Amino acid sequence: MTTKAKLTGRVIFRGDPGYEEARKNWDPHTDRYPKVFVFAKRTADVVNAIRWARQNNVPIRPRGGRHALEVNLSQVNGGLVIDVSNLNTIHLNKNKRTVVVGTGNRVGRIVNTLGRQGFIAPFGDSPSVGIGGITPGGGIGPLQRTTGLISDNLLALEMVDAKGTVIRASKKRNADLLWATRGGGGGNFGVYTKYKFKVRRAPVRATVFQVTWPWEQFEKVVRRWQDWAPHTSTKLGSELSVGPKKGGNVSMLGMYLGSKQEALRLLQPILSVGTPTQITVRYLPYLKATKFMLAPDPLLTQRFSNQFSSGFGKRPFPARAYRVMREFLEKAEGGTPAGFFFLNWGGAISRIAPRATAFYWRKAQYYVEWNSSWVKPSHAARNIALARNTRKKLQPYIIGSYINVPDQGIKCSGPVYYGKNYSRLRKVKAKYDPGNVFNNPQSIPPAKKR
Ligand SMILES: Cc1cc2nc3c(=O)[nH]c(=O)nc-3n(C[C@H](O)[C@H](O)[C@H](O)COP(=O)(O)OP(=O)(O)OC[C@H]3O[C@@H](n4cnc5c(N)ncnc54)[C@H](O)[C@@H]3O)c2cc1C
């Protein structure tokens, strides 16, 4: 007879003190009313939570840093949220050049801890994103052309599967699970509790840069950026943002793992376009440089709800794509964040074969995402439609989509997120979660038995 499972860890049912705080995600649009939250303090709490949920027929959602960008991913009405945020140990092994982190850590904390000891941890554009979710999706950011994606550095993991069994994966055992976790997306196979990454020495100093242009020059700047950024030194990462017509501008933020003089030389093609209104280039101690890149992004003060969509560019946008961009930027509300974001591709990411890990979209020149946001719930529908219609119009000029910046408007999304890796991912899913216990609106369904 199976013993009755009991919830352990910090358990918060609907109506308990702390429930409202527990259900606040970064994006208010993703907040739901789960039946219960379990804040796991140890792996055993995750085991108990999975067993309890299955015995009580309650849907499960794993949660790390609460930064999900679509609904019903890390929370669901009536469900059990297994929140790993208290699993936040960090063990750096300087000799072996590895770090083992609890999946509840936020990216910024890992960057800081490693940076203080002279090591690089790759990061994106927000320090408060959880390592729990960003890793299995890929993990893109300004260092990726040197370090690869966050998931390219994943060497091993610990996960609790649908039966409540703790399993480990590395190149030597359960290698298919490691493969799938390097790009297959969170919430698909089980609840990750530990990740082991390889790390590399940080330079003593690095150059950071920030440049802004008037909004009216966006077309010129994007055009030059698309010709320049994917082909410049792979030690240079560049994020280009274009805001809405109402109140927005064009801004570029980036990092170069080298001297200021070299950075200025490399930046010349982009600095000479249009009339920048502000140019900052600073050569800083590495840790300070990471702080420059990672402005504080506190979780509970975020007021804006968003609809994002994402893809990859294989070649520079043609004139027609700029018309789509302009239409979107003119229609975006203003007063709330909205716009386009580009990140240069190439280097370490493209040196890995598309089928070598679950992350397929390696041969692009740049990543692109756009988002529309709102405060009043009554504005949700039109902003969601704006972002999704823009996807339809941009479709001829982009490929794929990034699972960490998902869009539930995408139909038959598997091949869009995973390209030719989708069928293998379905097989891995069938092995580790044949009953599809871990599911969400766009999760990977198990392959059918033949
Ligand atoms: C402000 C902001 C900035 C961002 N910037 C970047 C960026 O620069 N680069 C980038 O690559 N992405 C970026 N993202 C996207 C981010 O990678 C994804 O939203 C990611 O899924 C967030 O992970 P999380 O743990 O914080 O979120 P959660 O909401 O906790 O989880 C997100 C998803 O991951 C799953 N998940 C989380 N933890 C676990 C776990 N332990 N086991 C199994 N599944 C788990 C959840 O079930 C859910 O499906 C950004 C998001 C935001 C909101």
Side-chain angles (χ1 to χ4, degrees), residues 119-152:
F119 286 87
I120 292 184
F123 51 83
D125 63 0
S126 159
S128 56
V129 168
I131 200 74
I134 195 172
T135 303
I140 65 174
L143 291 178
Q144 63 186 11
R145 304 173 81 230
T146 299
T147 62
L149 303 168
I150 292 179
S151 63
D152 292 341

Side-chain angles (χ1 to χ4, degrees), residues 404-419:
N404 271 347
V405 182
D407 170 355
Q408 290 178 8
I410 300 174
K411 303 277 175 263
C412 304
S413 61
V416 181
Y417 291 126
Y418 307 115

Side-chain angles (χ1 to χ4, degrees), residues 277-430:
T277 49
Q278 181 235 329
I279 301 178
T280 307
V281 183
R282 295 170 71 186
Y283 188 49
L284 297 173
Y286 180 74
L287 193 60
K288 278 208 170 140
T290 63
K291 289 193 195 309
F292 184 93
M293 297 298 293
L294 292 169
D297 178 26
L299 191 73
L300 299 174
T301 52
Q302 148 77 7
R303 292 164 45 234
F304 306 107
S305 292
N306 294 268
Q307 180 63 52
F308 277 81
S309 201
S310 64
F312 303 90
K314 273 190 111 168
R315 54 189 66 86
F317 274 178
R320 289 183 302 273
Y322 286 96
R323 284 204 284 280
V324 180
M325 268 185 86
R326 179 175 289 275
E327 193 188 332
F328 174 86
L329 296 167
E330 284 175 354
K331 281 190 181 160
E333 293 209 355
T336 69
F340 273 79
F341 173 94
F342 299 90
L343 177 67
N344 51 348
W345 224 239
I349 312 168
S350 311
R351 286 196 292 273
I352 296 177
R355 313 289 286 267
T357 75
F359 192 96
Y360 185 72
W361 303 110
R362 295 188 178 270
K363 301 296 177 195
Q365 293 197 350
Y366 53 88
Y367 164 77
V368 55
E369 69 182 32
W370 57 98
N371 73 305
S372 179
S373 76
W374 63 94
V375 176
K376 287 189 186 153
S378 58
H379 292 196
R382 69 165 183 251
N383 280 286
I384 294 171
L386 176 62
R388 289 183 176 164
N389 287 335
T390 300
R391 176 172 199 89
K392 287 193 187 115
K393 293 179 190 162
L394 274 183
Q395 199 56 69
Y397 321 114
I398 58 172
I399 48 168
S401 184
Y402 178 34
I403 187 61
N404 271 347
V405 182
D407 170 355
Q408 290 178 8
I410 300 174
K411 303 277 175 263
C412 304
S413 61
V416 181
Y417 291 126
Y418 307 115
K420 289 185 181 158
N421 287 329
Y422 184 51
S423 58
R424 183 168 174 202
L425 278 164
R426 292 193 60 185
K427 286 184 195 139
V428 179
K429 170 77 175 179

